[in-house]
Amino acid sequence: MRALIAPIAAALMIAGCSPGPADPETLYQTSTITALMAGAYDGRTRCGQLTARGDFGLGTFNALDGEMVVLDGVVYQVRVDDRVSRAGDAMRTPFAVVTFFDADAISTVVGPIALAQLRSQVDSLLAKPNLPYAVRIDGLFKRVTVRSVPRQNRPYPELAEVVKDQAIFELHDVRGTVIGFALPQALGALNVAGHHWHFLTADRNAGGHVLDLVADKVTICIDDCDSLYVAFAAAGKLTRADLTPPDPDVLHRIENQPMCRPTHPTLPFAGNCA
Ligand SMILES: [Zn+2]
């Protein structure tokens, strides 16, 4: 009898410690933005586990090896040279946010319209601004300025140092998709409050983290999420950082500002030093 009880107890523990069934209205994230900013670049979650939690999202890969885009159930890796490839199910992520995208509201915008105005348009569609929203924007873009980051070696520098080495690319007159989130300020200790957008061209050949854009004719779709599941990073000195709210100025620079020094001289650089 004892031999039978042990496996049952083990099974219950596993079930109790695992996330519940994937809910299409749940925003699922691994680790937190503060842990990522502090240099927690190696996570345990595999891309195959991520796509079981959502078909739409963004993030990065272990060792901070480029930008992640999850679109229509496929995980793409945008490396620092802007090459895009499909990520294997076994690849791991230290930080990612996904949900199953299912549009709650749709709006068409005829531009040209700059990033700030486009984000205001999105904001005007958010009927429940205290909820997290996934934002999908498909169409033609006059320009999209994207960045990716170089793979890191241990000991890992903080994210603010890494983005000084980011590679920036300008895509002109491209058809593609913005894969983004608009999160309430209340979630700022866990994730990027406000807008965080990645981009992928329709031919899946270029993309990255959006620094700037001008949209031409696009369709905005938004999807509200009524719950949030956070899989915290492994225990250790960074656990405290998991819940420490990020410095808003440092986070703003990481997420939004092109840097002025191209440290990858062989790669195209479009940094705005004005
Ligand atoms: Zn990003």
Side-chain angles (χ1 to χ4, degrees):
M1 199 60 195
R2 192 189 294 170
L4 187 62
I5 288 169
I8 290 172
L12 286 173
M13 274 180 59
I14 291 165
C17 294
S18 304
D23 172 359
E25 296 304 315
T26 295
L27 189 67
Y28 175 89
Q29 80 173 67
T30 59
S31 188
T32 68
I33 191 65
T34 317
L36 191 75
M37 286 171 70
Y41 301 154
D42 288 325
R44 292 171 297 177
T45 304
R46 291 185 162 90
C47 289
Q49 294 171 286
L50 211 54
T51 49
R53 298 284 154 193
D55 60 4
F56 177 95
L58 53 77
T60 184
F61 297 89
N62 274 15
L64 211 67
D65 193 7
E67 306 281 351
M68 176 192 286
V69 175
V70 184
L71 184 58
D72 297 328
V74 178
V75 182
Y76 297 92
Q77 180 183 21
V78 184
R79 291 194 175 83
V80 70
D81 59 2
D82 214 34
R83 277 186 305 125
V84 179
S85 56
R86 284 183 174 225
D89 282 351
M91 285 182 71
R92 293 179 192 262
T93 172
F95 178 77
V97 193
V98 294
T99 189
F100 287 101
F101 196 93
D102 134 42
D104 296 314
I106 297 174
S107 174
T108 299
V109 174
V110 178
I113 180 169
L115 179 63
Q117 285 72 42
L118 185 59
R119 287 181 167 172
S120 294
Q121 285 275 337
V122 172
D123 289 340
S124 71
L125 298 172
L126 310 182
K128 307 170 200 166
N130 286 329
L131 291 185
Y133 277 84
V135 179
R136 175 174 179 153
I137 305 173
D138 292 279
L140 282 167
F141 295 81
K142 287 191 127 15
R143 175 175 59 79
V144 187
T145 305
V146 287
R147 71 109 185 272
S148 187
V149 285
R151 180 185 177 88
Q152 299 298 298
N153 296 308
R154 288 175 173 273
Y156 291 142
E158 293 186 359
L159 192 56
E161 288 303 307
V162 174
V163 296
K164 292 176 183 171
D165 292 343
Q166 67 188 346
I168 298 175
F169 303 87
E170 279 197 358
L171 312 172
H172 292 274
D173 298 313
V174 286
R175 184 175 291 279
T177 303
V178 165
I179 298 93
F181 291 95
L183 304 186
Q185 294 299 317
L187 295 185
L190 299 171
N191 205 315
V192 179
H195 291 279
H196 182 188
W197 293 4
H198 285 193
F199 183 80
L200 194 63
T201 55
D203 62 9
R204 311 296 192 244
N205 282 332
H209 171 105
V210 173
L211 293 174
D212 194 18
L213 60 74
V214 178
D216 196 354
K217 185 174 181 197
V218 294
T219 302
I220 303 169
C221 298
I222 57 162
D223 177 20
D224 64 75
C225 303
D226 61 16
S227 61
L228 171 69
Y229 186 100
V230 182
F232 288 107
K237 64 176 180 165
L238 290 168
T239 305
R240 185 186 296 270
D242 274 350
L243 288 174
T244 308
D247 181 320
D249 292 336
V250 174
L251 182 59
H252 181 80
R253 280 198 298 276
I254 288 171
E255 296 296 324
N256 298 301
Q257 287 189 0
M259 297 295 169
C260 291
R261 69 183 167 94
T263 51
H264 291 272
T266 60
L267 298 172
F269 178 76
N272 174 14
C273 297

